[in-house]
Amino acid sequence: MKSRDRILARLRHGRTASPAAPMTPPESPPPAVTQPDLEPMIEALGAAHAEVIRIEESQWPDRLAAMAAERSWQHWWVGRDEVAQTWQQHASAPQVTVFDDWTTQKDALFREAPVALSLAQGGIAETGTLIVESRPETPRTLSLVPPVHVVVVRERTVYPDMAKALANYSHSGLPTNLIFISGPSKTADIQQTLAYGAHGPKELIVFLCR
């Protein structure tokens, strides 16, 4: 038996011996979470080169339209979440591509998508982190490929720390993929020179909505 076959056999045996089982949420209700101080979150995101705009939830579309005009953003890539639907109905009539078919749209996403817009399902105040759930209506590539990522997050979904955020998911059930975003993509791999946008968006704009 070749080495490759031995490795695959061990993997198959391990999967059979220890099959993955869905997590059963506990019967007790999730712990109550008090609204955390959001200043550390804003400071942490700002320190990581993200732009944070604290605003009433009803006002973010108008503010985003003004920002789009200033920066000449003319084409948006979105999923099928709440903020995508709100943005498509805005009076500025933004040009929008709904990304919902990886097979036929992936080439255009990588070549042409300048700005993505999505909703974060939560945040972590202590570390300035956004929690984005990868779902069929919001593929994770939307948060990774376009050079600019605009995220809307509601203040009431922000947890004080990682432990309390995960405690909530332990009761509601973990999705298949959670994306934790704490700033634009950056690396210092080459000569320890910090560069943005190496492995993901080079610009992150956060609408923190009351």
Side-chain angles (χ1 to χ4, degrees):
M1 182 181 288
K2 297 179 180 178
S3 298
R4 176 177 177 275
D5 295 330
R6 285 198 295 271
I7 292 170
L8 290 175
R10 284 200 296 270
L11 290 174
R12 293 190 183 101
H13 173 74
R15 186 171 59 183
T16 303
S18 303
M23 186 179 68
T24 302
E27 296 180 355
S28 58
V33 177
T34 55
Q35 180 67 54
D37 179 8
L38 297 176
E39 286 305 317
M41 181 177 188
I42 295 171
E43 291 177 7
L45 282 166
H49 264 238
E51 180 177 353
V52 182
I53 301 166
R54 202 169 183 184
I55 196 168
E56 297 294 334
E57 184 167 351
S58 61
Q59 296 174 353
W60 73 259
D62 288 341
R63 182 67 177 275
L64 184 57
M67 184 177 291
E70 292 170 2
R71 305 194 186 190
S72 300
W73 291 335
Q74 298 177 345
H75 188 187
W76 299 79
W77 281 66
V78 301
R80 289 182 281 110
D81 57 20
E82 294 175 53
V83 299
Q85 295 171 16
T86 300
W87 185 231
Q88 289 176 82
Q89 296 168 3
H90 190 259
S92 62
Q95 181 185 353
V96 169
T97 294
V98 178
F99 181 56
D100 58 3
D101 189 331
W102 168 259
T103 302
T104 61
Q105 294 180 298
K106 64 178 180 181
D107 290 342
L109 176 70
F110 278 88
R111 287 199 312 267
E112 304 168 4
V115 190
L117 170 68
S118 62
L119 172 70
Q121 281 69 40
I124 300 172
E126 184 180 57
T127 55
T129 303
L130 306 173
I131 304 173
V132 177
E133 298 177 10
S134 178
R135 303 171 171 176
E137 60 268 30
T138 50
R140 65 175 179 172
T141 40
L142 273 180
S143 65
L144 297 173
V145 177
V148 180
H149 187 198
V150 179
V151 182
V152 176
V153 60
R154 299 181 174 105
E155 291 186 0
R156 64 177 181 272
T157 65
V158 176
Y159 297 91
D161 51 41
M162 176 71 80
K164 290 186 173 58
L166 293 181
N168 173 70
Y169 279 107
S170 73
H171 286 78
S172 61
L174 281 166
T176 56
N177 192 299
L178 279 179
I179 304 165
F180 295 95
I181 302 172
S182 297
S185 168
K186 56 182 177 294
T187 181
D189 287 349
I190 302 174
Q191 296 184 337
Q192 297 186 339
T193 300
L194 188 61
Y196 289 88
H199 308 296
K202 65 180 180 182
E203 189 172 1
L204 175 67
I205 298 168
V206 180
F207 284 95
L208 183 58
C209 295
R210 292 186 282 268

